[in-house]
Amino acid sequence: NTENEHEHDQTVSSVSVAEQRPLDLDSIQRWINYLLTQKGTDLYRMKGVLNVAKCDERFMFQAVHMIFNGEFDEPWAPGEVRESKFVFIGKNLNHEELKTGFEACILTPELEARKTKDLRFKVGDVVECRTENGFKAGQITALMFRDEFMPTGVVAPYQVQLVSGDLIWAPEDDDAFIRAKQ
């Protein structure tokens, strides 16, 4: 190098993606976790705003290498275009892989059907759910359940009516939270 000259690293690039269709929160969380744990050393920076399905607030985030910070922020304004925007800056980025990974998080009817099909239990099945007082018996009343009292953006795999009559929801399709009646 001579004075006032510099070299650009040809392996560093950026990728941006924009999408108006809403994203599935669970899918985007799993994908971002994969990127941070498997690609974090090469991802210098990620930032964006996300249009999460069944959510009135935008999700704002940024990450530097493996350090991630994100939260639901202010609501989308009336009439505002709900558009997800995602920017990656890093070394040896596989542009196509990043775009394909992002697109796999779009909540399409096919993704919803696959997520429902992959559930272990169906409506009417008798199960046991973990509660603050241990596992309690109940029956599945709804799949892919959401109501206004749940955390922002969360869709539970199951709503369950316990034998006591209480309605609860299982946060994950996992034996730690819901299991076949024993």
Side-chain angles (χ1 to χ4, degrees):
N1 274 349
T2 60
E3 196 172 322
N4 295 327
E5 287 186 9
H6 64 275
E7 292 182 27
H8 291 278
D9 185 340
Q10 298 300 315
T11 63
V12 175
S13 64
S14 66
V15 179
S16 63
V17 181
E19 174 61 53
Q20 289 186 7
R21 292 174 291 176
L23 304 176
D24 176 61
L25 180 62
D26 183 55
S27 296
I28 200 80
Q29 286 176 326
R30 290 175 192 273
W31 181 61
I32 289 173
N33 184 57
Y34 163 78
L35 290 175
L36 293 173
T37 59
Q38 303 300 313
K39 311 280 186 183
T41 55
D42 285 339
L43 282 171
Y44 298 154
R45 179 137 186 183
M46 287 191 299
K47 63 187 275 187
V49 92
L50 302 179
N51 172 20
V52 176
K54 301 176 179 137
C55 182
D56 292 330
E57 293 93 28
R58 59 183 99 216
F59 186 82
M60 309 284 284
F61 75 93
Q62 62 180 338
V64 176
H65 290 290
M66 294 179 219
I67 300 170
F68 179 87
N69 183 23
E71 63 186 350
F72 284 97
D73 193 35
E74 57 191 63
W76 296 93
E80 179 180 9
V81 174
R82 293 180 171 213
E83 184 175 50
S84 296
K85 296 178 183 175
F86 213 123
V87 178
F88 305 91
I89 302 170
K91 184 175 184 176
N92 300 317
L93 297 180
N94 182 329
H95 293 216
E96 202 52 46
E97 178 185 19
L98 291 170
K99 288 179 180 180
T100 301
F102 181 82
E103 289 169 357
C105 299
I106 296 168
L107 187 60
T108 62
E110 294 79 16
L111 177 58
E112 284 185 298
R114 190 187 84 232
K115 288 179 74 165
T116 301
K117 180 181 169 283
D118 289 346
L119 294 174
R120 296 178 298 153
F121 305 111
K122 305 297 176 222
V123 171
D125 286 354
V126 176
V127 295
E128 292 179 340
C129 288
R130 187 169 128 202
T131 70
E132 60 187 13
N133 300 314
F135 278 89
K136 302 291 180 185
Q139 187 173 32
I140 305 287
T141 58
L143 304 178
M144 305 313 287
F145 175 74
R146 165 122 190 100
D147 72 22
E148 67 274 9
F149 302 109
M150 296 169 75
T152 303
V154 170
V155 175
Y158 305 106
Q159 181 186 47
V160 178
Q161 183 168 23
L162 299 177
V163 172
S164 67
D166 292 338
L167 282 171
I168 65 170
W169 50 273
E172 290 185 42
D173 187 11
D174 185 284
D175 279 344
F177 301 100
I178 186 168
R179 64 188 186 199
K181 188 166 185 330
Q182 300 189 5

